[in-house]
Amino acid sequence: MLENIQRRISALYALTMELQASSFLIGRKELAAMQETFSLSIARTPDEMLLVAEDDGGLAISFFIDDGVIERCRGEAQLRDFLLVAEGVSHFVYLVFCAQEERAVRLVELETQAEVDKFLLLLFAARARHGSQHLGKRAETLHEQLFHNWHHDQGMNGEEEERYHIANLVAGRYCRHLIRHYILSRDAEGLIADARGFYRKSLADKLQASR
């Protein structure tokens, strides 16, 4: 599933990337070993987490997904598992993209882009499965599920909760823009062009575009 999601994200945004998220994947056993070796203190362990360390040689990346999620994804993955994996792969791809562009990236930017990516991945999956008929209605339903029925993890601290709230708000407004200007009129080319432009914007420009 990881490879498939990364291929779809890369195709959507016309990205050229040799690194594969699956090559950096670790489970709970490897995460525990890293915590012991590097004396890492992690307040809580979510089901998905991107670990990044920066040094003179570049970035060191580990991509953690809970073992149970990986096991379920080998069969018929539930929506929650798909969204969790998609979010992690999105974080990985966007981080690598920004590193290639020699751009700094903030956590809220990673979260914002991941929310947009999840919306578009599910939207295009629906179009592939059902065609373009009623796609606008499906997009509205999807928007409601992702951006209005969102509930934060009870284990989040105040800073994390605020970051996810901002990301959800900004991504929700941008995806509403996509529905209004492209999805309802079935303008797939316009949607993709707009999404590719948004992907490459700075955080400040993304915030401005979503107002």
Side-chain angles (χ1 to χ4, degrees):
M1 177 182 283
L2 272 71
E3 292 86 350
N4 178 265
I5 291 174
Q6 184 167 345
R7 279 196 301 269
R8 290 161 63 186
I9 291 175
S10 296
L12 174 60
Y13 298 115
L15 304 176
T16 301
M17 190 172 299
E18 294 183 1
L19 298 179
Q20 295 294 312
S22 57
S23 300
F24 297 84
L25 185 66
I26 63 172
R28 287 201 176 272
K29 182 177 180 180
E30 293 85 356
L31 178 62
M34 288 180 63
Q35 289 179 267
E36 182 176 350
T37 301
F38 299 104
S39 300
L40 296 178
S41 177
I42 301 175
R44 66 184 184 90
T45 305
D47 289 338
E48 171 272 325
M49 182 166 48
L50 191 64
L51 298 160
V52 183
E54 186 175 6
D55 56 27
D56 294 338
L59 294 178
I61 302 174
S62 292
F63 179 26
F64 166 76
I65 296 182
D66 181 75
D67 301 338
V69 174
I70 292 297
E71 186 62 32
R72 290 192 297 273
C73 286
R74 292 193 176 102
E76 190 68 26
Q78 299 298 311
L79 178 60
R80 179 187 179 279
D81 292 330
F82 173 83
L83 290 175
L84 189 145
V85 174
E87 181 169 345
V89 174
S90 171
H91 290 162
F92 175 87
V93 172
Y94 196 69
L95 179 69
V96 173
F97 167 76
C98 288
Q100 290 176 338
E101 297 292 311
E102 298 184 345
R103 280 177 46 186
V105 60
R106 293 173 57 187
L107 290 174
V108 68
E109 193 173 356
L110 288 173
E111 302 300 348
T112 299
Q113 190 59 54
E115 295 305 304
V116 174
D117 290 353
K118 288 186 289 186
F119 175 81
L120 291 176
L121 287 170
L122 290 175
L123 180 74
F124 282 111
R127 190 182 71 163
R129 190 176 302 115
H130 305 290
S132 296
Q133 189 176 15
H134 307 306
L135 189 61
K137 185 176 181 179
R138 290 193 174 92
E140 294 282 3
T141 301
L142 181 58
H143 192 279
E144 181 76 19
Q145 291 175 333
L146 291 180
F147 302 115
H148 296 279
N149 296 334
W150 173 79
H151 299 285
H152 66 81
D153 188 328
Q154 294 299 319
M156 287 183 181
N157 60 37
E159 181 180 342
E160 289 174 312
E161 186 177 341
E162 181 181 9
R163 182 170 68 244
Y164 275 87
H165 174 74
I166 293 171
N168 184 270
L169 181 65
V170 173
R173 287 176 176 174
Y174 177 66
C175 291
R176 170 60 62 192
H177 158 81
L178 294 179
I179 292 173
R180 185 182 303 117
H181 291 278
Y182 305 107
I183 297 171
L184 292 177
S185 60
R186 302 184 187 180
D187 182 3
E189 290 185 4
L191 184 152
I192 291 172
D194 198 310
R196 287 177 177 176
F198 184 83
Y199 196 86
R200 289 163 172 79
K201 289 181 184 294
S202 67
L203 176 59
D205 288 340
K206 286 181 176 179
L207 293 173
Q208 181 66 35
S210 65
R211 288 182 178 178

